[in-house]
Amino acid sequence: MILNEQTVKAIRADIPKYPQRRSCILPALTHAYRQVGHLNEVVYREIADVLDLDTIQIAEAASFYTMFPKQPVGKYFIQVCHNLSCSLLGAESLVEYLLRKLDVKKGAITPDGLFTVVTVECLGSCTTAPMMQINDLFYENLTREKVDAIIDELRKKG
Amino acid sequence: MELRVLFKYIDNPDQHKIATYISTGGYKAWEKVLRELKPADVIDIVKRSGLRGRGGAGFPAGVKWSFVPKDSPKPKYLVCNGDESEPGTCKDRVLLERDPHRVVEGMAIAAFAIGAHNAYIYIRGEFAYPAAQMRKAVQEAYDKDFLGKNLFGAGYDLEMAVHTGGGAYICGEETALLESLEGKRGLSRIRPPFPAVEGLYASPTVVNNVETLANVPGIITNGPEWYAKMGTEKSTGTRIFCLSGHVKRPGNYELELGTPLSYLINDLGGGVLGDKKIKAIIPGGSSTPVLTPDKLDVHLDFESVAQAGSMLGSGGVVVMHEDTCMVWAARKLAHFYMHESCGKCTPCRMGTQWMFQILDRIESGKGCENDIELLLDVCDKIEGHTICPLGDAAAMPVRAFTKTFRDEFEYHIKHKKCMTINRMPSFT
């Protein structure tokens, strides 16, 4: 099993909220993503078992939603908004800076396994641009100094 | 003018806690509804307030509620749309994070009005913190018996749950949202049947935006006349505008509807960065046609902005100054719609790809002579030919940018470079 007991418990806890089991798929994918960091066929099968649904129903939904990476990413998954409001305040140079700083290509994992940087569409943080999301947290009004501090801290945490 | 109705307590650091919300009059409206009013009364009050949907379309909320058939034997559902994803828009997030009980209370009242005993709020997956705040609020409301069984002893039951998405703009469209809530791919549905008749689990459903529902408790407490007095005759109340881009003080500002755009940008936003000239303004989220600075005096209400050739949309105001290349900006937006098209309708799936490819080649200096006509032709082929509004939402900005700033597009094609070299305030 990839999914641990806590994740399975969380998936089961959502069942009574809906009249149809299938509604639990997105919440289940979210629980699994939080634990594993990405989704794959094995995870779909395990979710299907917990929810007593067909694996294809899980895979079909998962393939539509872009928030869940379908292959491994770094421990800290950095998603930089490159939509208009953020780009008007320098998001393009933020992306370049991050890639240069971490010496990594977009979408790849740094050799220490810590970081992956991708660009994403609007994250609903337009008035605090430029911004990035690392795992579940938003980092807003970014400056070079702030980015340096954030990356340093995450490196220290390992 | 700035008028804080929804934002009255937004800066209070404890506003998200139920005790604080109650101390500011919270859940009084819910109690009043259950003790004194019938569903039809609630619908009538909201109709008389003139409250219109804050998600983008501006449809009267009370009228939407009245479409739910009263004699249907099926269960009814109230769904709050918190899939805020329209570029330039970030107002619902603030409400969910800082005043979540206002949303819970609004949802509860709306559920009662349509006879629903189940309410869901669909929050975009990336909003982990807003969703956590809402979950806490819902739990607190259960603990205080504001949700659950036999509420206020009035014999009414209401269950509420928080549901999160998986990163898909299309799920902000109400039928795609319902598909997604059912655990499927977020593909929009053909209408009719409309959600009011056949929505979630093929049952009567009302989908309302977060900000729309957050207005409801105030309307019940203070009366429809109080609400209708604010704003203009047809656009009543206040609205949260998200001011972003090249302004000195970006932020979410709640204004009385009908306030001039210039007041938002210059007085509240502090004017343009570097005191440069404004070149373009998107008034209501990325889907709405771009305006030029001669429209700076337009009043921010549904009718005035429509008359100026755009839409009030979702309240996302994006300001671009003189050093912004319009081809670059249009390409950014086209990329977004290409990425977010759900793929169900060919005109949208293919059209958004065509638009991006054409804009991309113009931007990179490889544009062809007839590309502008081709771009406008693709817009024609998309608009009105798709199941849901995403197609129109993708074509509208491209058409507006191309027509309004045609000289820049022509220059780009002819000289293979920007007429205006992008000089963004750099990230330092």
Side-chain angles (χ1 to χ4, degrees), chain B residues 1-8 49-54 91 95 211-212 214-215 219 226-232 235-241 253-259 300-302 312:
Chain B
M1 292 299 285
E2 193 173 17
L3 182 58
R4 290 185 158 211
V5 174
L6 292 174
F7 274 2
K8 194 168 177 187
S49 76
L51 174 66
R52 292 168 68 173
R54 300 300 195 235
K91 63 189 175 65
L95 292 169
E211 187 188 351
T212 312
N215 271 301
I219 291 170
W226 162 81
Y227 196 80
K229 238 186 249 163
M230 297 183 286
T232 68
S235 300
T236 60
T238 64
R239 186 122 203 223
I240 303 167
F241 289 93
Y253 298 100
E254 185 175 8
L255 307 180
E256 188 168 8
L257 279 163
T259 302
L300 294 170
D301 55 72
F302 290 102
L312 198 60

mmCIF file of all heavy atoms in Angstrom, chain B residues 1-8 49-54 91 95 211-212 214-215 219 226-232 235-241 253-259 300-302 312:
data_model
loop_
_atom_site.group_PDB
_atom_site.id
_atom_site.type_symbol
_atom_site.label_atom_id
_atom_site.label_comp_id
_atom_site.label_asym_id
_atom_site.label_seq_id
_atom_site.Cartn_x
_atom_site.Cartn_y
_atom_site.Cartn_z
ATOM 1 N N MET B 1 -17.858 55.535 -4.013
ATOM 2 C CA MET B 1 -17.149 55.664 -2.740
ATOM 3 C C MET B 1 -16.865 54.289 -2.149
ATOM 4 O O MET B 1 -17.603 53.353 -2.370
ATOM 5 C CB MET B 1 -18.019 56.451 -1.747
ATOM 6 C CG MET B 1 -18.215 57.896 -2.086
ATOM 7 S SD MET B 1 -16.688 58.814 -2.122
ATOM 8 C CE MET B 1 -16.322 59.000 -0.376
ATOM 9 N N GLU B 2 -15.784 54.254 -1.364
ATOM 10 C CA GLU B 2 -15.525 53.012 -0.645
ATOM 11 C C GLU B 2 -16.620 52.871 0.414
ATOM 12 O O GLU B 2 -16.915 53.808 1.150
ATOM 13 C CB GLU B 2 -14.142 53.057 0.009
ATOM 14 C CG GLU B 2 -13.715 51.691 0.494
ATOM 15 C CD GLU B 2 -12.280 51.632 1.010
ATOM 16 O OE1 GLU B 2 -11.710 52.689 1.291
ATOM 17 O OE2 GLU B 2 -11.769 50.516 1.145
ATOM 18 N N LEU B 3 -17.264 51.738 0.428
ATOM 19 C CA LEU B 3 -18.358 51.518 1.363
ATOM 20 C C LEU B 3 -18.255 50.091 1.865
ATOM 21 O O LEU B 3 -18.482 49.144 1.125
ATOM 22 C CB LEU B 3 -19.697 51.755 0.656
ATOM 23 C CG LEU B 3 -20.968 51.622 1.483
ATOM 24 C CD1 LEU B 3 -20.960 52.571 2.671
ATOM 25 C CD2 LEU B 3 -22.192 51.909 0.619
ATOM 26 N N ARG B 4 -17.892 49.958 3.135
ATOM 27 C CA ARG B 4 -17.624 48.618 3.643
ATOM 28 C C ARG B 4 -18.861 48.001 4.285
ATOM 29 O O ARG B 4 -19.221 48.346 5.402
ATOM 30 C CB ARG B 4 -16.460 48.675 4.632
ATOM 31 C CG ARG B 4 -15.152 48.952 3.949
ATOM 32 C CD ARG B 4 -14.013 48.889 4.935
ATOM 33 N NE ARG B 4 -12.777 48.630 4.213
ATOM 34 C CZ ARG B 4 -11.763 47.950 4.725
ATOM 35 N NH1 ARG B 4 -11.835 47.460 5.937
ATOM 36 N NH2 ARG B 4 -10.685 47.760 4.010
ATOM 37 N N VAL B 5 -19.476 47.119 3.533
ATOM 38 C CA VAL B 5 -20.615 46.368 4.049
ATOM 39 C C VAL B 5 -20.153 44.940 4.319
ATOM 40 O O VAL B 5 -20.182 44.456 5.446
ATOM 41 C CB VAL B 5 -21.781 46.415 3.049
ATOM 42 C CG1 VAL B 5 -22.910 45.515 3.510
ATOM 43 C CG2 VAL B 5 -22.269 47.849 2.881
ATOM 44 N N LEU B 6 -19.664 44.274 3.272
ATOM 45 C CA LEU B 6 -19.118 42.920 3.450
ATOM 46 C C LEU B 6 -17.799 42.979 4.210
ATOM 47 O O LEU B 6 -17.444 42.074 4.949
ATOM 48 C CB LEU B 6 -18.868 42.273 2.089
ATOM 49 C CG LEU B 6 -20.093 41.936 1.267
ATOM 50 C CD1 LEU B 6 -19.677 41.436 -0.103
ATOM 51 C CD2 LEU B 6 -20.948 40.901 1.964
ATOM 52 N N PHE B 7 -17.081 44.042 3.993
ATOM 53 C CA PHE B 7 -15.753 44.196 4.594
ATOM 54 C C PHE B 7 -15.772 44.951 5.924
ATOM 55 O O PHE B 7 -14.722 45.331 6.418
ATOM 56 C CB PHE B 7 -14.837 44.967 3.618
ATOM 57 C CG PHE B 7 -14.154 44.081 2.605
ATOM 58 C CD1 PHE B 7 -14.387 42.713 2.568
ATOM 59 C CD2 PHE B 7 -13.264 44.617 1.675
ATOM 60 C CE1 PHE B 7 -13.754 41.900 1.628
ATOM 61 C CE2 PHE B 7 -12.622 43.819 0.736
ATOM 62 C CZ PHE B 7 -12.866 42.456 0.716
ATOM 63 N N LYS B 8 -16.989 45.153 6.466
ATOM 64 C CA LYS B 8 -17.095 45.976 7.668
ATOM 65 C C LYS B 8 -16.145 45.496 8.776
ATOM 66 O O LYS B 8 -15.527 46.291 9.464
ATOM 67 C CB LYS B 8 -18.541 45.945 8.173
ATOM 68 C CG LYS B 8 -18.846 47.002 9.201
ATOM 69 C CD LYS B 8 -20.341 47.121 9.446
ATOM 70 C CE LYS B 8 -20.617 48.144 10.549
ATOM 71 N NZ LYS B 8 -22.027 48.164 10.925
ATOM 72 N N SER B 49 -34.277 43.374 -2.812
ATOM 73 C CA SER B 49 -32.983 44.036 -2.559
ATOM 74 C C SER B 49 -32.263 44.346 -3.868
ATOM 75 O O SER B 49 -31.385 45.198 -3.928
ATOM 76 C CB SER B 49 -32.088 43.136 -1.708
ATOM 77 O OG SER B 49 -31.546 42.094 -2.501
ATOM 78 N N GLY B 50 -32.638 43.620 -4.915
ATOM 79 C CA GLY B 50 -31.984 43.821 -6.214
ATOM 80 C C GLY B 50 -30.631 43.130 -6.322
ATOM 81 O O GLY B 50 -29.906 43.339 -7.300
ATOM 82 N N LEU B 51 -30.274 42.308 -5.327
ATOM 83 C CA LEU B 51 -28.960 41.634 -5.330
ATOM 84 C C LEU B 51 -28.765 40.816 -6.604
ATOM 85 O O LEU B 51 -29.582 39.977 -6.952
ATOM 86 C CB LEU B 51 -28.854 40.711 -4.099
ATOM 87 C CG LEU B 51 -27.600 39.823 -4.015
ATOM 88 C CD1 LEU B 51 -26.339 40.662 -3.836
ATOM 89 C CD2 LEU B 51 -27.734 38.816 -2.877
ATOM 90 N N ARG B 52 -27.659 41.101 -7.278
ATOM 91 C CA ARG B 52 -27.326 40.362 -8.493
ATOM 92 C C ARG B 52 -26.059 39.545 -8.286
ATOM 93 O O ARG B 52 -25.213 39.901 -7.483
ATOM 94 C CB ARG B 52 -27.145 41.340 -9.657
ATOM 95 C CG ARG B 52 -28.470 41.992 -10.038
ATOM 96 C CD ARG B 52 -28.280 43.161 -10.970
ATOM 97 N NE ARG B 52 -27.798 42.753 -12.278
ATOM 98 C CZ ARG B 52 -27.688 43.593 -13.314
ATOM 99 N NH1 ARG B 52 -28.047 44.858 -13.189
ATOM 100 N NH2 ARG B 52 -27.245 43.163 -14.471
ATOM 101 N N GLY B 53 -25.958 38.452 -9.026
ATOM 102 C CA GLY B 53 -24.849 37.512 -8.866
ATOM 103 C C GLY B 53 -23.497 38.200 -9.014
ATOM 104 O O GLY B 53 -23.292 39.013 -9.903
ATOM 105 N N ARG B 54 -22.585 37.859 -8.109
ATOM 106 C CA ARG B 54 -21.262 38.487 -8.099
ATOM 107 C C ARG B 54 -20.195 37.624 -8.768
ATOM 108 O O ARG B 54 -19.022 37.932 -8.691
ATOM 109 C CB ARG B 54 -20.839 38.780 -6.656
ATOM 110 C CG ARG B 54 -21.765 39.711 -5.877
ATOM 111 C CD ARG B 54 -21.883 41.063 -6.548
ATOM 112 N NE ARG B 54 -22.473 42.066 -5.671
ATOM 113 C CZ ARG B 54 -23.541 42.792 -5.961
ATOM 114 N NH1 ARG B 54 -24.186 42.616 -7.111
ATOM 115 N NH2 ARG B 54 -23.980 43.718 -5.123
ATOM 116 N N LYS B 91 -11.304 38.065 -4.660
ATOM 117 C CA LYS B 91 -12.147 38.650 -3.610
ATOM 118 C C LYS B 91 -12.803 37.589 -2.721
ATOM 119 O O LYS B 91 -12.864 37.753 -1.511
ATOM 120 C CB LYS B 91 -13.239 39.509 -4.249
ATOM 121 C CG LYS B 91 -14.175 38.654 -5.123
ATOM 122 C CD LYS B 91 -15.141 39.448 -5.955
ATOM 123 C CE LYS B 91 -15.948 38.564 -6.879
ATOM 124 N NZ LYS B 91 -16.856 37.609 -6.224
ATOM 125 N N LEU B 95 -12.982 36.760 1.663
ATOM 126 C CA LEU B 95 -14.167 36.482 2.478
ATOM 127 C C LEU B 95 -14.047 35.116 3.154
ATOM 128 O O LEU B 95 -14.352 34.967 4.333
ATOM 129 C CB LEU B 95 -15.431 36.530 1.608
ATOM 130 C CG LEU B 95 -15.817 37.920 1.073
ATOM 131 C CD1 LEU B 95 -16.905 37.808 0.022
ATOM 132 C CD2 LEU B 95 -16.288 38.822 2.216
ATOM 133 N N GLU B 211 -19.437 35.770 -2.860
ATOM 134 C CA GLU B 211 -19.750 37.159 -2.504
ATOM 135 C C GLU B 211 -21.261 37.407 -2.532
ATOM 136 O O GLU B 211 -21.790 38.154 -1.708
ATOM 137 C CB GLU B 211 -19.026 38.120 -3.471
ATOM 138 C CG GLU B 211 -19.161 39.579 -3.074
ATOM 139 C CD GLU B 211 -18.602 40.541 -4.127
ATOM 140 O OE1 GLU B 211 -17.960 40.078 -5.091
ATOM 141 O OE2 GLU B 211 -18.843 41.750 -3.993
ATOM 142 N N THR B 212 -21.943 36.788 -3.483
ATOM 143 C CA THR B 212 -23.397 36.925 -3.565
ATOM 144 C C THR B 212 -24.018 36.469 -2.248
ATOM 145 O O THR B 212 -24.824 37.187 -1.636
ATOM 146 C CB THR B 212 -23.961 36.042 -4.706
ATOM 147 O OG1 THR B 212 -23.200 36.251 -5.878
ATOM 148 C CG2 THR B 212 -25.421 36.342 -4.968
ATOM 149 N N ALA B 214 -22.604 36.009 0.651
ATOM 150 C CA ALA B 214 -22.140 36.769 1.820
ATOM 151 C C ALA B 214 -22.985 38.025 2.037
ATOM 152 O O ALA B 214 -23.044 38.563 3.140
ATOM 153 C CB ALA B 214 -20.668 37.125 1.658
ATOM 154 N N ASN B 215 -23.656 38.484 0.980
ATOM 155 C CA ASN B 215 -24.514 39.658 1.101
ATOM 156 C C ASN B 215 -25.858 39.351 1.756
ATOM 157 O O ASN B 215 -26.549 40.264 2.227
ATOM 158 C CB ASN B 215 -24.797 40.240 -0.298
ATOM 159 C CG ASN B 215 -23.755 41.255 -0.716
ATOM 160 O OD1 ASN B 215 -23.564 42.253 -0.040
ATOM 161 N ND2 ASN B 215 -23.085 41.003 -1.830
ATOM 162 N N ILE B 219 -28.797 41.609 4.147
ATOM 163 C CA ILE B 219 -30.074 41.973 3.521
ATOM 164 C C ILE B 219 -31.244 41.553 4.416
ATOM 165 O O ILE B 219 -32.203 42.299 4.596
ATOM 166 C CB ILE B 219 -30.184 41.334 2.112
ATOM 167 C CG1 ILE B 219 -29.185 42.005 1.173
ATOM 168 C CG2 ILE B 219 -31.604 41.442 1.571
ATOM 169 C CD1 ILE B 219 -29.019 41.314 -0.170
ATOM 170 N N TRP B 226 -32.785 48.904 2.600
ATOM 171 C CA TRP B 226 -31.431 49.331 3.006
ATOM 172 C C TRP B 226 -30.431 48.963 1.911
ATOM 173 O O TRP B 226 -29.600 49.775 1.512
ATOM 174 C CB TRP B 226 -31.064 48.638 4.323
ATOM 175 C CG TRP B 226 -29.594 48.640 4.643
ATOM 176 C CD1 TRP B 226 -28.875 49.649 5.199
ATOM 177 C CD2 TRP B 226 -28.668 47.555 4.425
ATOM 178 N NE1 TRP B 226 -27.559 49.260 5.333
ATOM 179 C CE2 TRP B 226 -27.401 47.999 4.867
ATOM 180 C CE3 TRP B 226 -28.789 46.270 3.897
ATOM 181 C CZ2 TRP B 226 -26.267 47.179 4.796
ATOM 182 C CZ3 TRP B 226 -27.665 45.462 3.829
ATOM 183 C CH2 TRP B 226 -26.418 45.920 4.270
ATOM 184 N N TYR B 227 -30.546 47.744 1.404
ATOM 185 C CA TYR B 227 -29.592 47.292 0.396
ATOM 186 C C TYR B 227 -29.788 48.027 -0.917
ATOM 187 O O TYR B 227 -28.835 48.490 -1.549
ATOM 188 C CB TYR B 227 -29.725 45.773 0.183
ATOM 189 C CG TYR B 227 -28.540 45.195 -0.547
ATOM 190 C CD1 TYR B 227 -27.364 44.915 0.119
ATOM 191 C CD2 TYR B 227 -28.596 44.985 -1.923
ATOM 192 C CE1 TYR B 227 -26.252 44.418 -0.546
ATOM 193 C CE2 TYR B 227 -27.494 44.479 -2.603
ATOM 194 C CZ TYR B 227 -26.329 44.194 -1.912
ATOM 195 O OH TYR B 227 -25.234 43.709 -2.574
ATOM 196 N N ALA B 228 -31.069 48.135 -1.307
ATOM 197 C CA ALA B 228 -31.385 48.737 -2.617
ATOM 198 C C ALA B 228 -31.024 50.222 -2.669
ATOM 199 O O ALA B 228 -30.854 50.783 -3.747
ATOM 200 C CB ALA B 228 -32.856 48.526 -2.945
ATOM 201 N N LYS B 229 -30.909 50.824 -1.488
ATOM 202 C CA LYS B 229 -30.540 52.244 -1.448
ATOM 203 C C LYS B 229 -29.081 52.453 -1.855
ATOM 204 O O LYS B 229 -28.699 53.520 -2.315
ATOM 205 C CB LYS B 229 -30.771 52.784 -0.029
ATOM 206 C CG LYS B 229 -31.739 53.976 0.007
ATOM 207 C CD LYS B 229 -31.805 54.532 1.406
ATOM 208 C CE LYS B 229 -33.192 54.238 1.994
ATOM 209 N NZ LYS B 229 -33.203 54.388 3.450
ATOM 210 N N MET B 230 -28.289 51.426 -1.670
ATOM 211 C CA MET B 230 -26.873 51.533 -2.056
ATOM 212 C C MET B 230 -26.733 51.198 -3.537
ATOM 213 O O MET B 230 -27.488 50.390 -4.072
ATOM 214 C CB MET B 230 -26.024 50.550 -1.236
ATOM 215 C CG MET B 230 -26.035 50.842 0.251
ATOM 216 S SD MET B 230 -24.958 49.704 1.167
ATOM 217 C CE MET B 230 -25.915 48.200 1.143
ATOM 218 N N GLY B 231 -25.755 51.817 -4.166
ATOM 219 C CA GLY B 231 -25.514 51.516 -5.574
ATOM 220 C C GLY B 231 -26.427 52.307 -6.490
ATOM 221 O O GLY B 231 -26.888 53.394 -6.140
ATOM 222 N N THR B 232 -26.692 51.736 -7.658
ATOM 223 C CA THR B 232 -27.578 52.416 -8.614
ATOM 224 C C THR B 232 -28.910 51.684 -8.643
ATOM 225 O O THR B 232 -29.091 50.657 -7.990
ATOM 226 C CB THR B 232 -26.965 52.404 -10.021
ATOM 227 O OG1 THR B 232 -26.954 51.054 -10.513
ATOM 228 C CG2 THR B 232 -25.553 52.957 -10.039
ATOM 229 N N SER B 235 -28.122 48.298 -10.380
ATOM 230 C CA SER B 235 -26.982 47.597 -9.771
ATOM 231 C C SER B 235 -26.919 48.012 -8.314
ATOM 232 O O SER B 235 -26.224 48.963 -7.959
ATOM 233 C CB SER B 235 -25.678 47.976 -10.469
ATOM 234 O OG SER B 235 -25.709 47.631 -11.826
ATOM 235 N N THR B 236 -27.667 47.305 -7.482
ATOM 236 C CA THR B 236 -27.752 47.734 -6.088
ATOM 237 C C THR B 236 -26.596 47.175 -5.266
ATOM 238 O O THR B 236 -25.959 46.197 -5.647
ATOM 239 C CB THR B 236 -29.076 47.252 -5.455
ATOM 240 O OG1 THR B 236 -29.116 45.823 -5.519
ATOM 241 C CG2 THR B 236 -30.275 47.832 -6.184
ATOM 242 N N GLY B 237 -26.375 47.826 -4.133
ATOM 243 C CA GLY B 237 -25.402 47.323 -3.172
ATOM 244 C C GLY B 237 -23.970 47.720 -3.451
ATOM 245 O O GLY B 237 -23.695 48.703 -4.146
ATOM 246 N N THR B 238 -23.073 46.942 -2.877
ATOM 247 C CA THR B 238 -21.646 47.195 -3.029
ATOM 248 C C THR B 238 -21.031 46.041 -3.792
ATOM 249 O O THR B 238 -21.682 45.034 -4.049
ATOM 250 C CB THR B 238 -20.955 47.261 -1.659
ATOM 251 O OG1 THR B 238 -21.065 45.982 -1.045
ATOM 252 C CG2 THR B 238 -21.558 48.326 -0.776
ATOM 253 N N ARG B 239 -19.778 46.227 -4.095
ATOM 254 C CA ARG B 239 -19.086 45.153 -4.787
ATOM 255 C C ARG B 239 -17.609 45.205 -4.406
ATOM 256 O O ARG B 239 -17.042 46.286 -4.262
ATOM 257 C CB ARG B 239 -19.252 45.414 -6.290
ATOM 258 C CG ARG B 239 -18.729 44.335 -7.129
ATOM 259 C CD ARG B 239 -19.727 43.721 -8.055
ATOM 260 N NE ARG B 239 -19.168 42.415 -8.330
ATOM 261 C CZ ARG B 239 -19.126 41.863 -9.508
ATOM 262 N NH1 ARG B 239 -19.706 42.435 -10.520
ATOM 263 N NH2 ARG B 239 -18.554 40.696 -9.668
ATOM 264 N N ILE B 240 -17.003 44.043 -4.296
ATOM 265 C CA ILE B 240 -15.570 44.026 -4.006
ATOM 266 C C ILE B 240 -14.829 44.042 -5.337
ATOM 267 O O ILE B 240 -15.044 43.165 -6.184
ATOM 268 C CB ILE B 240 -15.167 42.783 -3.193
ATOM 269 C CG1 ILE B 240 -15.982 42.716 -1.901
ATOM 270 C CG2 ILE B 240 -13.669 42.805 -2.891
ATOM 271 C CD1 ILE B 240 -15.888 41.378 -1.202
ATOM 272 N N PHE B 241 -13.979 45.039 -5.515
ATOM 273 C CA PHE B 241 -13.160 45.113 -6.724
ATOM 274 C C PHE B 241 -11.719 44.741 -6.366
ATOM 275 O O PHE B 241 -11.187 45.203 -5.360
ATOM 276 C CB PHE B 241 -13.216 46.522 -7.325
ATOM 277 C CG PHE B 241 -14.561 46.823 -7.932
ATOM 278 C CD1 PHE B 241 -15.543 47.460 -7.181
ATOM 279 C CD2 PHE B 241 -14.863 46.431 -9.223
ATOM 280 C CE1 PHE B 241 -16.801 47.708 -7.715
ATOM 281 C CE2 PHE B 241 -16.114 46.673 -9.776
ATOM 282 C CZ PHE B 241 -17.085 47.312 -9.016
ATOM 283 N N TYR B 253 -10.954 46.276 -2.793
ATOM 284 C CA TYR B 253 -11.669 47.440 -2.278
ATOM 285 C C TYR B 253 -13.163 47.248 -2.482
ATOM 286 O O TYR B 253 -13.602 46.911 -3.576
ATOM 287 C CB TYR B 253 -11.221 48.707 -3.016
ATOM 288 C CG TYR B 253 -9.752 49.035 -2.832
ATOM 289 C CD1 TYR B 253 -8.827 48.718 -3.814
ATOM 290 C CD2 TYR B 253 -9.312 49.662 -1.670
ATOM 291 C CE1 TYR B 253 -7.473 49.024 -3.647
ATOM 292 C CE2 TYR B 253 -7.963 49.966 -1.498
ATOM 293 C CZ TYR B 253 -7.045 49.650 -2.486
ATOM 294 O OH TYR B 253 -5.724 49.949 -2.317
ATOM 295 N N GLU B 254 -13.927 47.455 -1.429
ATOM 296 C CA GLU B 254 -15.379 47.352 -1.559
ATOM 297 C C GLU B 254 -15.954 48.736 -1.855
ATOM 298 O O GLU B 254 -15.762 49.678 -1.088
ATOM 299 C CB GLU B 254 -16.006 46.794 -0.270
ATOM 300 C CG GLU B 254 -17.504 46.559 -0.436
ATOM 301 C CD GLU B 254 -18.148 45.903 0.778
ATOM 302 O OE1 GLU B 254 -17.480 45.748 1.816
ATOM 303 O OE2 GLU B 254 -19.346 45.547 0.675
ATOM 304 N N LEU B 255 -16.621 48.837 -2.975
ATOM 305 C CA LEU B 255 -17.165 50.124 -3.406
ATOM 306 C C LEU B 255 -18.667 50.026 -3.584
ATOM 307 O O LEU B 255 -19.205 48.967 -3.907
ATOM 308 C CB LEU B 255 -16.592 50.534 -4.773
ATOM 309 C CG LEU B 255 -15.094 50.565 -4.972
ATOM 310 C CD1 LEU B 255 -14.786 50.994 -6.402
ATOM 311 C CD2 LEU B 255 -14.471 51.542 -3.996
ATOM 312 N N GLU B 256 -19.322 51.158 -3.406
ATOM 313 C CA GLU B 256 -20.724 51.233 -3.767
ATOM 314 C C GLU B 256 -20.782 51.102 -5.286
ATOM 315 O O GLU B 256 -19.976 51.705 -6.001
ATOM 316 C CB GLU B 256 -21.274 52.585 -3.313
ATOM 317 C CG GLU B 256 -22.751 52.693 -3.474
ATOM 318 C CD GLU B 256 -23.329 53.917 -2.759
ATOM 319 O OE1 GLU B 256 -22.548 54.756 -2.263
ATOM 320 O OE2 GLU B 256 -24.560 54.021 -2.715
ATOM 321 N N LEU B 257 -21.695 50.288 -5.781
ATOM 322 C CA LEU B 257 -21.794 50.144 -7.231
ATOM 323 C C LEU B 257 -22.129 51.498 -7.847
ATOM 324 O O LEU B 257 -22.919 52.271 -7.284
ATOM 325 C CB LEU B 257 -22.838 49.083 -7.595
ATOM 326 C CG LEU B 257 -22.289 47.650 -7.496
ATOM 327 C CD1 LEU B 257 -23.405 46.632 -7.454
ATOM 328 C CD2 LEU B 257 -21.350 47.353 -8.660
ATOM 329 N N GLY B 258 -21.515 51.790 -8.979
ATOM 330 C CA GLY B 258 -21.710 53.089 -9.619
ATOM 331 C C GLY B 258 -20.581 54.067 -9.328
ATOM 332 O O GLY B 258 -20.609 55.209 -9.773
ATOM 333 N N THR B 259 -19.583 53.629 -8.571
ATOM 334 C CA THR B 259 -18.425 54.486 -8.281
ATOM 335 C C THR B 259 -17.538 54.571 -9.531
ATOM 336 O O THR B 259 -17.337 53.566 -10.212
ATOM 337 C CB THR B 259 -17.615 53.883 -7.119
ATOM 338 O OG1 THR B 259 -18.468 53.754 -5.991
ATOM 339 C CG2 THR B 259 -16.424 54.743 -6.753
ATOM 340 N N LEU B 300 -18.667 52.159 -12.205
ATOM 341 C CA LEU B 300 -18.601 50.709 -12.027
ATOM 342 C C LEU B 300 -19.954 50.155 -11.573
ATOM 343 O O LEU B 300 -20.189 49.931 -10.396
ATOM 344 C CB LEU B 300 -17.495 50.352 -11.042
ATOM 345 C CG LEU B 300 -16.072 50.665 -11.537
ATOM 346 C CD1 LEU B 300 -15.063 50.520 -10.410
ATOM 347 C CD2 LEU B 300 -15.688 49.780 -12.714
ATOM 348 N N ASP B 301 -20.855 49.992 -12.540
ATOM 349 C CA ASP B 301 -22.085 49.248 -12.313
ATOM 350 C C ASP B 301 -22.331 48.465 -13.598
ATOM 351 O O ASP B 301 -21.721 48.740 -14.629
ATOM 352 C CB ASP B 301 -23.247 50.190 -11.983
ATOM 353 C CG ASP B 301 -23.459 51.255 -13.036
ATOM 354 O OD1 ASP B 301 -23.947 50.900 -14.128
ATOM 355 O OD2 ASP B 301 -23.120 52.433 -12.791
ATOM 356 N N PHE B 302 -23.190 47.460 -13.515
ATOM 357 C CA PHE B 302 -23.363 46.552 -14.649
ATOM 358 C C PHE B 302 -23.679 47.303 -15.949
ATOM 359 O O PHE B 302 -23.091 47.047 -16.998
ATOM 360 C CB PHE B 302 -24.488 45.546 -14.359
ATOM 361 C CG PHE B 302 -24.129 44.538 -13.310
ATOM 362 C CD1 PHE B 302 -24.597 44.654 -12.006
ATOM 363 C CD2 PHE B 302 -23.310 43.457 -13.616
ATOM 364 C CE1 PHE B 302 -24.264 43.714 -11.033
ATOM 365 C CE2 PHE B 302 -22.972 42.506 -12.644
ATOM 366 C CZ PHE B 302 -23.455 42.647 -11.355
ATOM 367 N N LEU B 312 -18.889 44.246 -16.250
ATOM 368 C CA LEU B 312 -18.454 44.360 -14.854
ATOM 369 C C LEU B 312 -17.878 43.029 -14.361
ATOM 370 O O LEU B 312 -17.051 43.000 -13.460
ATOM 371 C CB LEU B 312 -19.634 44.795 -13.984
ATOM 372 C CG LEU B 312 -19.302 45.368 -12.617
ATOM 373 C CD1 LEU B 312 -18.428 46.598 -12.738
ATOM 374 C CD2 LEU B 312 -20.574 45.697 -11.863
#
